[in-house]
């Protein structure tokens, strides 16, 4: 599975959009981009995933560049409860190995 | 509430104790997982069970012994642990075996302290 690179930490003002970048320059054609987040002292929570088209759900939007070498997770109106570590994971959708989590980005939403 | 329940939430044990962590999922999933998260480290996969059969053991020491009596329940039996085993132990489940469906549902974890 392709490796990902994320900033270690980011801050965002409450009510503003939080844009979390992820680089996956070695991604292959059949690999999806997944995002999870982990709020302190809880288990990770699935957010969204996509292949090449932009995706949106009730939690967030996922923007994938045309060359698929990077993506951005957007939380449109960040709240204090969005403070968490956000993990970007790239892997084949029907792979035979479970998800591998990296270090992620620690997002702090500030009042 | 994710449909995956872990007990206990907190556990303190001595190095000579024997204890068990319990995980139960109410989602009708077929695959269950144990992950370990040490302080300031990424999640580490420990074990994978598909349809009650262990399909992956990620070089975990034998002092950790998993048990999966059915698709809804997963245990992690602990004995003669070391202080460095102190960590957050997370259970997860997914609908499909072998991680084909990457929508994992995690429990809240058991925070383990080994004294």
């Amino acid at each position: 599975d392709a490796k990902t690179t994320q900033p270690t930490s980011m801050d965002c003002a409450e009510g503003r959009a939080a844009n979390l970048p992820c680089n996956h320059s070695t991604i292959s054609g059949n690999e999806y981009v997944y995002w999870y987040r982990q709020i302190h002292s809880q288990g990770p929570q699935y957010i969204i995933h996509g292949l090449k088209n932009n995706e949106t759900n009730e939690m967030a939007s996922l923007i994938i560049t045309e060359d698929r070498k990077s993506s951005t997770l957007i939380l449109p109106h960040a709240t204090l409860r969005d403070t968490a570590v956000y993990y970007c994971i790239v892997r084949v959708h029907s792979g035979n190995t479970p998800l591998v989590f990296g270090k992620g980005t620690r997002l702090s939403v500030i009042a | 509430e994710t449909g995956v329940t872990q007990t206990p939430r907190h556990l303190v044990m001595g190095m000579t104790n024997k204890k068990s962590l319990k995980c139960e999922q109410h989602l009708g999933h077929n695959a269950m997982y144990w992950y370990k998260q040490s302080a300031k480290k990424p999640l580490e996969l420990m074990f994978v069970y598909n349809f009650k059969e262990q399909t992956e053991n990620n070089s975990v020491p034998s002092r950790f012994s998993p048990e999966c009596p059915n698709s809804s329940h997963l245990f992690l039996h602990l004995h003669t642990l070391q202080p460095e085993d102190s960590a957050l132990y997370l259970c997860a489940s997914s609908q499909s075996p072998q991680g084909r469906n990457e929508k994992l549902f995690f429990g809240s974890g058991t925070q383990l302290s080994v004294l």
Side-chain angles (χ1 to χ4, degrees):
Chain A
D1 294 331
K3 291 184 178 179
T4 62
T5 303
Q6 299 179 251
T8 302
S9 63
M10 293 180 63
D11 292 337
C12 178
E14 188 179 20
R16 304 296 293 270
N19 298 292
L20 294 99
C22 180
N23 286 323
H24 31 79
S25 58
T26 59
I27 193 171
S28 59
N30 62 347
E31 288 183 311
Y32 283 67
V33 180
Y34 292 84
W35 284 85
Y36 280 73
R37 73 179 183 183
Q38 186 175 19
I39 296 171
H40 183 62
S41 297
Q42 296 183 24
Q45 175 191 24
Y46 167 85
I47 301 173
I48 199 167
H49 75 278
L51 181 62
K52 54 185 176 181
N53 297 323
N54 297 338
E55 302 287 344
T56 296
N57 62 21
E58 66 279 3
M59 291 183 69
S61 295
L62 174 60
I63 308 298
I64 303 174
T65 58
E66 193 169 339
D67 63 7
R68 303 208 323 120
K69 293 185 177 182
S70 66
S71 60
T72 301
L73 179 75
I74 301 173
L75 309 179
H77 304 287
T79 70
L80 298 178
R81 288 175 293 182
D82 292 320
T83 293
V85 177
Y86 286 77
Y87 299 99
C88 170
I89 304 166
V90 172
R91 61 150 297 161
V92 177
H93 193 51
S94 59
N96 289 324
T97 55
L99 286 175
V100 176
F101 290 78
K103 295 183 179 180
T105 296
R106 181 171 298 279
L107 175 69
S108 298
V109 180
I110 303 167
Chain B
E1 176 58 49
T2 64
V4 180
T5 304
Q6 287 187 246
T7 55
R9 284 299 310 274
H10 302 274
L11 178 63
V12 179
M13 60 186 289
M15 289 189 286
T16 58
N17 292 157
K18 291 184 180 180
K19 297 287 184 183
S20 296
L21 309 185
K22 179 183 176 182
C23 177
E24 182 175 1
Q25 57 98 356
H26 314 277
L27 302 169
H29 288 169
N30 298 310
M32 296 188 76
Y33 312 77
W34 280 116
Y35 282 85
K36 173 185 176 183
Q37 188 172 35
S38 302
K40 299 184 179 179
K41 289 187 177 180
L43 277 78
E44 302 171 54
L45 179 68
M46 300 177 72
F47 301 104
V48 181
Y49 276 82
N50 294 316
F51 295 105
K52 303 187 299 180
E53 299 297 322
Q54 186 181 128
T55 56
E56 186 153 343
N57 177 336
N58 201 22
S59 302
V60 180
S62 60
R63 58 186 183 269
F64 295 91
S65 175
E67 179 190 2
C68 189
N70 55 61
S71 294
S72 299
H73 293 86
L74 185 65
F75 295 89
L76 187 62
H77 303 300
L78 316 171
H79 63 98
T80 59
L81 294 192
Q82 305 298 313
E84 58 264 29
D85 296 322
S86 298
L88 180 66
Y89 289 85
L90 289 158
C91 173
S93 70
S94 67
Q95 184 174 18
S96 302
Q98 294 286 14
R100 292 196 186 101
N101 178 347
E102 297 316 319
K103 198 167 182 177
L104 288 174
F105 292 78
F106 283 83
S108 296
T110 295
Q111 186 65 53
L112 174 68
S113 297
V114 181
L115 304 178

